Amino acid sequence: MEEIASNKISGGWQKRYQHQSEVLGCEMVFSVYLPPQAEQGAVPVLYWLSGLTCNDQNFVTKAGAQRYAAEHGVAIVAPDTSPRGDDVADDEAWDFAQGAGFYLTATQQPWAKHYNMYDYIVTELPALINAMPAIDSSRCGIFGHSMGGHGALTIALKNPDNYQSVSAFSPICAPMQCPWGEKALANYLGDDRESWSDYDACELIAKTEQQLPLLVDQGSADDFLVEQLKPELLEAACKDRGHPLTLRMQPGYDHSYYFISSFIGDHIKHHADALKQL
Amino acid sequence: MEEIASNKISGGWQKRYQHQSEVLGCEMVFSVYLPPQAEQGAVPVLYWLSGLTCNDQNFVTKAGAQRYAAEHGVAIVAPDTSPRGDDVADDEAWDFAQGAGFYLTATQQPWAKHYNMYDYIVTELPALINAMPAIDSSRCGIFGHSMGGHGALTIALKNPDNYQSVSAFSPICAPMQCPWGEKALANYLGDDRESWSDYDACELIAKTEQQLPLLVDQGSADDFLVEQLKPELLEAACKDRGHPLTLRMQPGYDHSYYFISSFIGDHIKHHADALKQL
């Protein structure tokens, strides 16, 4: 693991690392923000999962998260959204393959060779992060945007012992019932829709035993709201199961980082409050 | 003037406009943030001048200024850094010509035809902005970064009736005494160094009658500090003249937007406090 950038921001350090990923079979880059409190002792850590077309830099440069991470004393890890490189199978579409790993384990070729973002996010990356003296591995949250909101919700629901807090901006709530999700799941997992349900937040809500409270912000002027994101399905699934959900429809906001930056402070506080109680 | 983008952020609206500039002789794009208070009445306005290679988007997407503008109820205008287009003379270097207009009026050809950023910022753009009902043209501040810090300081010092507050991040304090400045001034203005002094903050400090207080933040780990920026010359000029200057050396910070975003809140408060007193 090699440090390739380090910039001081809000009293802490925004760092960027490169490493050879075993589970993805390629070189990967991720970013970590260490708040000033990390110089005094280990701090809780949040994982931010980005959306379609992003890499680790979009969140780091546009969300304005660092000042809140510094205020609350939490680290934030921002990984890339898929395996990368000339050797990694790709597709011409912007909503599939490189930049669109969907945080799952592909079973169909040619994708199965590299597209294993689920294990990367849940196992390999945390092992690297938790080896840092600045990180308290026992206090961990996960959040994300759009495809990354889908990733955060599904990963937290499936691994309640690993994550003590979760939230999402404009998540793809029901990938089995929207074009982005159906395309990705069919290509990565094949035609058996039963196998898809392991990566659909609405399906997982119905199965989960532990009820981690969900915080979801959604812009009402989001162009993808009706066709792709469908928060009403998440709301219905949570209601059916009695799963705690705070869904905030934010009037006039769209799908961009302008929206994320407007409410990122609320999300970081949500995580910090949950993790401080541990 | 045509609105080409509008995104809700921090309760207000980040807008982007395109227009034909008469003084620059080309089509230009600029951004304006309107805080939520602008829906109730006219608000003060700040002009942000960006640095080398930037356009209007760098500040808008990376500085995290909108939340502070919303907190204090000020609009922020972010123009481009030079005339643009295939018809506009350019140079291969990143530190000269397009993206590097240096906020002056060029007198030498081929630059004199389009490079008149001084009049664009001081006269043409404010005329467009002040025509907006949301803008209180009587309360106006100016700030910027690097080349834009140079622009903010020199424009405020030369037009004390137009600007009631000024600040800068990592400004080029003495363009007559650094490689970036000498290259730009010689090309845009010719060999007569006397004509350069009209665009050098240290020279202008010695001449100015009205003593607008200056706030300057400078990172100690800035790679351009010693060769290009030279805040010690501004400090000496202000001391000689008794001109009020708050120069804050910020340990460990570099020349990037990570630095700007760390202190942009302080700068917006500095301007808002000055403009509220009017």
Side-chain angles (χ1 to χ4, degrees):
Chain A
M1 187 166 111
E2 183 193 357
E3 182 181 298
I4 57 174
S6 181
N7 301 85
K8 192 169 183 182
I9 173 168
S10 297
W13 292 91
Q14 183 62 58
K15 292 177 177 285
R16 204 169 183 218
Y17 296 93
Q18 189 169 300
H19 72 116
Q20 185 65 30
S21 165
E22 283 188 34
V23 302
L24 300 176
C26 64
E27 194 161 77
M28 292 291 285
V29 171
F30 64 88
S31 289
V32 183
Y33 179 66
L34 296 176
Q37 295 86 341
E39 291 177 17
Q40 311 301 321
V43 297
V45 58
L46 310 184
Y47 287 81
W48 171 268
L49 305 186
S50 288
L52 291 166
T53 77
C54 290
N55 65 14
D56 66 303
Q57 290 286 281
N58 305 69
F59 176 77
V60 164
T61 60
K62 293 182 170 181
Q66 293 93 345
R67 66 195 66 183
Y68 298 109
E71 180 185 337
H72 293 288
V74 297
I76 304 182
V77 179
D80 204 342
T81 56
S82 77
R84 297 281 185 181
D86 294 342
D87 296 339
V88 174
D90 201 4
D91 187 275
E92 287 184 359
W94 61 273
D95 60 359
F96 181 65
Q98 290 197 34
F102 271 84
Y103 306 104
L104 50 69
T105 299
T107 58
Q108 305 300 300
Q109 293 302 356
W111 316 111
K113 187 177 178 195
H114 293 285
Y115 285 78
N116 188 1
M117 285 298 288
Y118 180 82
D119 287 334
Y120 181 70
I121 299 297
V122 174
T123 306
E124 188 180 39
L125 185 56
L128 292 172
I129 298 296
N130 293 341
M132 296 180 175
I135 300 299
D136 175 357
S137 62
S138 72
R139 293 185 291 164
C140 182
I142 190 164
F143 59 161
H145 173 235
S146 195
M147 176 184 74
H150 142 74
L153 294 175
T154 54
I155 285 173
L157 289 166
K158 289 163 74 170
N159 299 277
D161 295 338
N162 297 19
Y163 305 94
Q164 294 87 43
S165 61
V166 61
S167 73
F169 290 84
S170 349
I172 303 173
C173 291
M176 293 178 71
Q177 300 181 60
C178 75
W180 280 341
E182 290 188 281
K183 177 180 179 179
L185 296 170
N187 277 288
Y188 289 133
L189 302 177
D191 293 333
D192 175 15
R193 290 179 67 100
E194 183 57 34
S195 69
W196 301 7
S197 65
D198 211 26
Y199 300 108
D200 183 298
C202 291
E203 296 286 325
L204 290 167
I205 286 284
K207 296 181 201 168
T208 185
E209 294 293 323
Q210 288 176 261
Q211 297 201 318
L212 197 59
L214 312 182
L215 168 63
V216 174
D217 270 320
Q218 172 63 55
S220 73
D222 186 325
D223 286 341
F224 302 113
L225 173 56
V226 174
E227 192 183 2
Q228 304 283 7
L229 305 176
K230 306 190 177 185
E232 69 281 5
L233 297 182
L234 183 66
E235 197 167 32
C238 286
K239 196 175 174 192
D240 274 357
R241 184 71 181 181
H243 195 112
L245 164 70
T246 303
L247 170 62
R248 309 193 306 186
M249 292 301 293
Q250 303 286 5
Y253 287 91
D254 61 25
H255 201 65
S256 70
Y257 267 91
Y258 296 116
F259 167 54
I260 296 171
S261 76
S262 300
F263 299 101
I264 193 72
D266 290 357
H267 283 241
I268 291 173
K269 184 175 188 309
H270 164 81
H271 288 271
D273 286 350
L275 298 175
K276 272 175 196 157
Q277 292 169 7
L278 303 176
Chain B
M1 189 165 109
E2 183 194 357
E3 183 180 298
I4 57 174
S6 182
N7 302 83
K8 192 168 183 184
I9 173 168
S10 296
W13 292 91
Q14 183 63 58
K15 291 178 176 285
R16 203 170 183 216
Y17 296 94
Q18 189 170 300
H19 72 116
Q20 185 67 31
S21 165
E22 283 188 32
V23 304
L24 300 175
C26 64
E27 194 161 76
M28 293 291 286
V29 172
F30 64 88
S31 289
V32 182
Y33 179 67
L34 295 177
Q37 294 87 342
E39 291 176 18
Q40 311 302 322
V43 298
V45 58
L46 310 184
Y47 287 81
W48 171 268
L49 305 186
S50 288
L52 293 166
T53 76
C54 290
N55 64 15
D56 66 302
Q57 290 287 281
N58 304 69
F59 176 78
V60 165
T61 59
K62 292 183 171 182
Q66 292 93 345
R67 67 194 66 183
Y68 298 109
E71 180 185 338
H72 294 287
V74 297
I76 304 183
V77 179
D80 204 343
T81 55
S82 77
R84 297 282 185 180
D86 294 342
D87 297 338
V88 174
D90 202 4
D91 187 275
E92 286 184 359
W94 62 272
D95 59 1
F96 181 65
Q98 289 196 34
F102 271 84
Y103 306 104
L104 50 70
T105 299
T107 58
Q108 306 298 301
Q109 294 301 358
W111 316 111
K113 187 177 177 194
H114 294 284
Y115 285 78
N116 188 1
M117 285 299 289
Y118 179 82
D119 287 334
Y120 180 70
I121 299 297
V122 173
T123 306
E124 189 181 39
L125 185 55
L128 292 172
I129 298 296
N130 293 341
M132 296 179 176
I135 300 299
D136 175 358
S137 62
S138 70
R139 294 184 290 164
C140 181
I142 190 165
F143 59 160
H145 173 235
S146 196
M147 177 183 73
H150 142 75
L153 294 175
T154 54
I155 284 174
L157 288 167
K158 290 163 74 169
N159 300 278
D161 295 338
N162 298 19
Y163 306 93
Q164 294 88 42
S165 60
V166 60
S167 72
F169 290 85
S170 350
I172 302 173
C173 291
M176 294 178 71
Q177 300 181 59
C178 75
W180 280 341
E182 290 188 281
K183 177 181 180 180
L185 296 170
N187 278 288
Y188 288 132
L189 302 177
D191 292 334
D192 175 14
R193 292 178 66 99
E194 184 57 35
S195 69
W196 300 7
S197 64
D198 211 27
Y199 300 108
D200 182 299
C202 291
E203 296 286 326
L204 291 167
I205 287 284
K207 296 181 202 169
T208 187
E209 293 294 322
Q210 286 175 261
Q211 297 201 319
L212 197 60
L214 312 182
L215 169 63
V216 174
D217 271 319
Q218 172 62 55
S220 73
D222 187 325
D223 286 341
F224 303 113
L225 173 56
V226 174
E227 192 183 3
Q228 305 283 8
L229 306 176
K230 305 192 177 184
E232 69 282 2
L233 297 181
L234 182 67
E235 196 167 34
C238 287
K239 194 176 175 192
D240 275 358
R241 184 71 181 183
H243 196 112
L245 165 69
T246 303
L247 170 61
R248 310 192 304 186
M249 293 299 295
Q250 303 286 6
Y253 287 91
D254 61 26
H255 200 66
S256 69
Y257 267 91
Y258 295 118
F259 167 54
I260 296 170
S261 76
S262 300
F263 299 101
I264 193 71
D266 291 356
H267 283 241
I268 291 173
K269 183 175 189 307
H270 163 82
H271 288 270
D273 287 349
L275 298 175
K276 273 175 196 158
Q277 293 169 8
L278 302 175

